[in-house]
Amino acid sequence: MYKKLLIGLIVALLCLSPIAAENWNSFQGGIDHSGYRDEGSDFVTNLWTFNMESPVHSSPAIYKDYIYYVSNDGILKAIDMETGEEEWNLDLEAKTNSSPIIHSNRLYIGCEDGLKAVNINSHKVVWDYDCDNVASAPVYHDDIIYFGSDDGHLYGVNEDGKVKFDKKLGDELRTSPIVVDNTIYVGSTGGKMYSIDTDESKNWEFTTGDEILSSPAYVNKTIIFGSTDGSVYCLKKSDGDLEWKVDLNDKVISSPTVDGHDNNVFIGSDEGNMTCLDVRDGTVKWSHSTGDKVQSTAAIKDNLVAFGSNNGYLYVLNKYTGAEEFTYNPGTILFNSAITSSPVINGNSLFFGDDSGNVYSLNINKYEVPGSTQMFYSIAVLIIVIIVAIVFVRKVKGRK
């Protein structure tokens, strides 16, 4: 009898685990910001481009076979990851720079007028919590959705939109909070990183030299984040004491991506570099220059690290050496658009959006990219330039 019960329990767990694993509970999918879903989907990676019709600054969420993007104009779109076709869309009726999360068929997204919950089966807003602008991506933990607001409050609401947590911290809270062992970590534009227990008691706060717009990541009992004072900080989770600090010479708006297995933390800076630091002591392992601001948060898979730059290029580097594996410029130089949205990876498919309003699907394993829609415009410009040059030369010869 006990054997049958044990078998039944194992079967039940196996049935439940894939469902739980599909949730995208926080910014970049987890407290390490890896932006990677290992499960993949039962389809061959296809190459495609999808037009969102307005700039894309927020990072997407992956759930089952769909990827969810929100444009700056507040249009939410569910895109089939295999075909690149739109499944459905919803006007949130408010602009947004927040990134969505998804838990059990419910999508949560911050907007200029607060937090909204969307049922992805009915494609409708089921409730919204009115407050000041929510640029912070929320995080789902123990049936509570935590998020920061420009009104300086850290909120926690349940799945019905009822407030269960409300802590006034001061200044704007624009970073995406993380929750570790029932403790919330969130940064403010006042330059403070806060540690708050889920019972609303404050553990500690740490002050940097400028705004914190970089969302914290967790690894090895430490909290790592960047500041616009140009530094990356690593604090002890328990008491907020400084473990190490590294100066990257310019604003750090990018959020750290940590790889605890190899003791790496990857983070971009406005100096134009993606830098790999040792999580143990902050030693710089390598730094790769792009020539323009790197505000995108990196995604990692196997030995690869992917991120965007404001120069319009997506970079895929070897995570151990920082050497370029390949780059992709969908704007073909003439029509470059900044890539501040963070890429995500599902199986072999890499997705990212840019300021032109386009979303792209690449094959990260085979280094295959979609044909650029901007290429036609570049060719047209080149033809016009050639025609003008020919006309000019003929006119000059005619005068002689």
Side-chain angles (χ1 to χ4, degrees), residues 270 290 292-296 308-313 336-340:
D270 280 10
T290 72
D292 207 336
K293 298 175 182 178
V294 177
Q295 299 177 336
S296 163
S309 169
N310 283 21
N311 66 5
Y313 279 80
N336 284 351
S337 293
I339 303 172
T340 55

Side-chain angles (χ1 to χ4, degrees), residues 207-360:
T207 303
T208 69
D210 210 334
E211 296 181 322
I212 300 176
L213 302 175
S214 167
S215 300
Y218 172 81
V219 63
N220 298 345
K221 298 183 179 180
T222 62
I223 304 300
I224 300 177
F225 59 95
S227 168
T228 57
D229 67 8
S231 293
V232 180
Y233 294 84
C234 178
L235 310 180
K236 287 183 180 178
K237 163 183 170 289
S238 57
D239 53 20
D241 285 352
L242 182 67
E243 284 279 285
W244 52 260
K245 170 186 171 183
V246 176
D247 184 6
L248 295 186
N249 303 318
D250 207 335
K251 294 179 180 179
V252 181
I253 294 174
S254 167
S255 299
T257 300
V258 296
D259 180 359
H261 178 72
D262 291 309
N263 294 310
N264 292 331
V265 54
F266 307 95
I267 192 163
S269 72
D270 280 10
E271 188 182 31
N273 297 321
M274 173 59 67
T275 301
C276 176
L277 306 171
D278 192 311
V279 299
R280 295 165 294 188
D281 56 14
T283 299
V284 175
K285 294 185 175 182
W286 54 257
S287 190
H288 186 93
S289 177
T290 72
D292 207 336
K293 298 175 182 178
V294 177
Q295 299 177 336
S296 163
T297 298
I300 54 176
K301 180 196 176 186
D302 300 329
N303 66 330
L304 302 175
V305 55
F307 62 96
S309 169
N310 283 21
N311 66 5
Y313 279 80
L314 176 87
Y315 292 82
V316 177
L317 311 180
N318 182 296
K319 76 174 185 180
Y320 298 111
T321 66
E324 288 184 9
E325 296 289 338
F326 78 97
T327 63
Y328 174 51
N329 175 222
T332 60
I333 300 177
L334 289 178
F335 298 95
N336 284 351
S337 293
I339 303 172
T340 55
S341 172
S342 304
V344 296
I345 303 169
N346 179 71
N348 295 331
S349 299
L350 182 149
F351 307 94
F352 73 96
D354 64 16
D355 278 11
S356 72
N358 287 312
V359 172
Y360 308 91

Side-chain angles (χ1 to χ4, degrees), residues 181-232:
D181 298 332
N182 292 316
T183 300
I184 310 162
Y185 301 91
V186 66
S188 77
T189 56
K192 295 181 182 295
M193 178 58 64
Y194 296 97
S195 169
I196 312 290
D197 281 345
T198 52
D199 64 4
E200 297 192 25
S201 59
K202 185 162 72 172
N203 298 314
W204 51 259
E205 64 180 59
F206 180 91
T207 303
T208 69
D210 210 334
E211 296 181 322
I212 300 176
L213 302 175
S214 167
S215 300
Y218 172 81
V219 63
N220 298 345
K221 298 183 179 180
T222 62
I223 304 300
I224 300 177
F225 59 95
S227 168
T228 57
D229 67 8
S231 293
V232 180

Side-chain angles (χ1 to χ4, degrees), residues 46 48-50 79-86:
N46 288 321
W48 48 258
T49 301
F50 181 90
I79 305 169
D80 187 310
M81 286 192 291
E82 179 179 12
T83 65
E85 295 177 355
E86 179 181 314

Side-chain angles (χ1 to χ4, degrees), residues 10-39:
I10 292 171
V11 171
L13 288 172
L14 289 173
C15 291
L16 287 172
S17 58
I19 296 174
E22 287 183 339
N23 292 320
W24 194 268
N25 285 330
S26 64
F27 171 69
Q28 289 298 95
I31 57 176
D32 58 359
H33 297 162
S34 68
Y36 176 58
R37 190 175 76 162
D38 189 33
E39 291 89 358

